[in-house]
Structure formats: C-alpha cells, structure tokens
Amino acid sequence: MSDWRFATPVRLTFGPSQQRTITNAWEAVELLLRDWPGRRDHRYKVALLACQDALEGFRSGRLARKALVRAAKMAGFGVSST
C-alpha cells in the first residue's frame, strides 16, 4: 500500500476568508488540478508530480507534503500545520 497520507495536515490560506486543510496526497492533487488559485509555475508542477507519485507509491507522503508546502509558499499563500 502506498504511503500517501500526510503525517501532519497542511492548512492553506488563500485570502482573508479562504482556507483549506489538506490531509493527504489525493486532496492535494484535487486542489492542484481543480482549485489552485495561484500561478501554475515550476513549483506547482513539482508539487503536482510529487503528489501523483505518492498516490502511485513512487514517493512518500512526506515528500509530497513538502512539495505542496513549497508551492504554496512560492504562490504567496499562508501555510500552517494543524
């Protein structure tokens, strides 16, 4: 079984009233593909690939989470652990 769950959820803040908590690579992929409010730059693409790889068992949830956090920070979103 693949390790696609995040040990610590990530709370992203997109604006004054928009927050989203991501607990696993599946939720991260959904956010990245459907609801990402930022630019789809290099960090975005790295995060998407890392999360998809985690779902397939090629990467750990820890690495996927790390890539998502980096992409969110580069996009200027608020990032915190819950």
Side-chain angles (χ1 to χ4, degrees):
M1 179 172 188
S2 63
D3 175 26
W4 49 272
R5 289 175 185 80
F6 296 169
T8 305
V10 178
R11 178 175 292 146
L12 303 176
T13 304
F14 305 112
S17 62
Q18 278 189 297
Q19 287 188 349
R20 185 137 171 208
T21 300
I22 307 298
T23 62
N24 58 55
W26 179 257
E27 291 174 358
V29 168
E30 285 185 330
L31 168 71
L32 290 161
L33 288 177
R34 295 191 303 151
D35 300 325
W36 188 254
R39 290 184 51 223
R40 296 183 177 207
D41 58 8
H42 175 71
R43 288 284 181 198
Y44 164 89
K45 292 173 186 172
V46 168
L48 179 59
L49 180 61
C51 292
Q52 289 172 327
D53 282 353
L55 290 176
E56 295 293 326
F58 299 123
R59 273 186 215 203
S60 68
R62 183 182 64 77
L63 291 176
R65 182 187 185 281
K66 187 175 180 178
L68 176 65
V69 167
R70 283 185 180 165
K73 285 181 178 179
M74 289 299 293
F77 306 148
V79 179
S80 62
S81 298
T82 59

